[in-house]
Amino acid sequence: METRKIPGTDLNLSVIAFGSYASGKGWAPSERKSAIEAIRASYQLGVTTFDTAPIYGLGDTEAILGEALSCFPRDKVQILTKFGLRWLYVRGRPFRTVVSFDGKDVNIYRYATRESVIEECENSLRRLKTDYIDLYQLHWPDEATPFEETFEAVSRLVEQGKVRYVGVSNVTPEQMDEIGKIVPVVSLQMPYNMVERGIEKDVMKYCIDSNRAILAYRPLEAGLLTGKIRPDATWPRNDSRNTNPYFTPDNIRRVNAFLEQLRPLASEKKATLAQLALRWTANRSGITSVLAGAVNSLEAVENARAAEISLSRRDMDFINGTLLKLDTEMINEALRKTRVRLAALS
């Protein structure tokens, strides 16, 4: 497995990392077993980087990861987790509502006070069955708490040896500059994939210029880039795909048509469309590691083997040229809908 170093650290991340968001839905015993098998299968194929968060599974996902990794040497894996989203207290700014394993609505809050950060870290260490976290990342900014308070607490955790390095997620370059004045920030985690490329506008250049790693999450856009999503698909209550603009029937058709144009290249590489999408993401400038989720060992093996695919410059140019046509179609459709709405208001 190819590894890439986070600049300014001794962390060498596997280019395909295990992203555990998909493992956080609340588990029956059989599903928990599958999740553990997926994590262990990833490790056996060279994946050494495992990303999670307390909010995934409302704590259960960290516990699953801790159990799964407990049989491997601690110094052979990098455990990444996050802080700043709480559900135990009605404090901070409302973030979103999720459905717990027993079907109840649970309200999530952005909350990153000094005391909360310290408490979250202790909880994560316990669930993960470890005494240190390799990369501790702010999940989402808490606008009600000054960065100075939040990251002074994180600095204390670094001094105590409970956290090795500090990262952030879902923040702007300006916010990274502000946080960087308090504590060294080595990485930024953001959504990035073939259809969600917003960070190309400014974030990628910023991270390259400031020598910071980019960890790409949602590389398959919640399954859209597998080619297996039908235009008539429906989702469970509170599933983010219900409001995701990429998951309208028209856009699903467009993306599927785009993927069909890539299928001959995938066949040539003896790869699935999902593997091609993961490898494309890993090849993009500034990307250090791609966080790919799996709910069973078959998916985990497929993801890990995406690292074995080789895409030439010509291959990348072909994919990028095909993507440009998809971008144009989506932009034109968005403009058409805007004109229709404006006409209805006039």
Side-chain angles (χ1 to χ4, degrees):
M1 172 71 69
E2 175 188 355
T3 62
R4 295 175 181 174
K5 187 175 182 179
I6 292 184
T9 78
D10 59 0
L11 290 180
N12 289 293
L13 307 188
S14 52
V15 67
I16 300 296
F18 189 96
S20 67
Y21 178 80
S23 306
K25 304 300 183 184
W27 297 97
S30 61
E31 293 170 324
R32 187 183 186 93
K33 181 175 180 289
S34 292
I36 291 171
E37 289 173 349
I39 293 164
R40 291 177 176 170
S42 297
Y43 180 83
Q44 296 297 338
L45 284 176
V47 173
T48 61
T49 305
F50 298 85
D51 179 82
T52 187
I55 199 63
Y56 304 160
L58 303 180
D60 195 37
T61 300
E62 282 189 328
I64 289 172
L65 186 61
E67 181 179 347
L69 295 180
S70 62
C71 60
F72 303 129
R74 178 63 181 88
D75 63 350
K76 300 299 183 183
V77 298
Q78 305 87 46
I79 296 178
L80 289 49
T81 193
K82 309 179 188 75
F83 66 92
L85 295 180
R86 306 302 306 268
W87 70 94
L88 297 176
Y89 312 114
V90 184
R91 299 175 187 169
R93 299 287 180 88
F95 178 62
R96 67 174 57 138
T97 299
V98 300
V99 179
S100 67
F101 69 93
D102 56 359
K104 296 179 181 178
D105 285 351
V106 177
N107 295 320
I108 310 299
Y109 300 87
R110 300 191 193 196
Y111 190 61
T113 63
R114 180 179 294 103
E115 294 77 13
S116 182
V117 171
I118 299 298
E119 181 184 43
E120 278 205 88
C121 184
E122 295 296 338
N123 290 341
S124 290
L125 290 170
R126 172 177 48 80
R127 288 189 290 252
L128 290 164
K129 299 181 185 297
T130 184
D131 55 5
Y132 67 92
I133 295 163
D134 292 286
L135 184 65
Y136 204 37
Q137 306 158 100
L138 174 66
H139 205 155
W140 285 86
D142 168 20
E143 297 88 347
T145 303
F147 282 142
E148 289 83 358
E149 177 178 344
T150 297
F151 285 94
E152 282 172 5
V154 177
S155 293
R156 185 189 308 173
L157 294 169
V158 173
E159 291 169 1
Q160 294 171 346
K162 296 176 180 178
V163 167
R164 298 194 63 217
Y165 298 102
V166 181
V168 291
S169 180
N170 304 303
V171 302
T172 65
E174 292 76 18
Q175 289 171 321
M176 284 190 76
D177 280 340
E178 187 177 347
I179 296 166
K181 295 175 183 177
I182 307 162
V183 64
V185 177
V186 303
S187 64
L188 172 63
Q189 187 173 143
M190 293 290 279
Y192 183 67
N193 56 59
M194 286 177 164
V195 295
E196 172 55 85
R197 304 200 309 281
I199 65 171
E200 291 179 356
K201 296 175 183 177
D202 54 2
V203 171
M204 277 184 161
K205 184 178 186 306
Y206 169 85
C207 287
I208 292 169
D209 290 347
S210 62
N211 215 25
R212 291 182 169 111
I214 299 175
L215 312 183
Y217 76 81
R218 218 165 63 215
L220 297 178
E221 192 55 53
L224 181 63
L225 292 169
T226 65
K228 299 176 182 178
I229 304 294
R230 293 170 53 89
D232 59 354
T234 59
W235 320 108
R237 182 170 65 92
N238 281 348
D239 191 301
S240 62
R241 286 172 289 192
N242 286 313
T243 56
N244 186 325
Y246 294 119
F247 281 81
T248 65
D250 284 344
N251 276 340
I252 292 172
R253 291 188 191 95
R254 289 188 186 93
V255 172
N256 283 344
F258 155 72
L259 292 171
E260 283 303 311
Q261 295 178 71
L262 301 188
R263 196 175 291 280
L265 177 60
S267 296
E268 176 190 326
K269 303 295 179 179
K270 295 182 172 55
T272 65
L273 290 170
Q275 288 174 320
L276 198 66
L278 292 175
R279 185 69 250 187
W280 176 90
T281 304
N283 277 23
R284 298 294 284 173
S285 179
I287 300 299
T288 300
S289 186
V290 179
L291 312 180
V295 298
N296 56 52
S297 59
L298 290 177
E299 290 182 1
V301 168
E302 179 180 342
N303 291 344
R305 286 186 171 153
E308 302 169 5
I309 299 168
S310 176
L311 293 179
S312 67
R313 181 181 295 275
R314 182 177 180 181
D315 295 331
M316 291 293 289
D317 287 345
F318 168 72
I319 295 172
N320 293 336
T322 311
L323 267 177
L324 185 60
K325 299 173 187 175
L326 176 65
D327 285 344
T328 301
E329 291 175 0
M330 287 188 169
I331 290 170
N332 288 340
E333 177 61 13
L335 289 172
R336 187 190 69 76
K337 289 182 177 179
T338 299
R339 293 190 194 101
V340 170
R341 286 196 298 269
L342 291 175
L345 293 173
S346 61

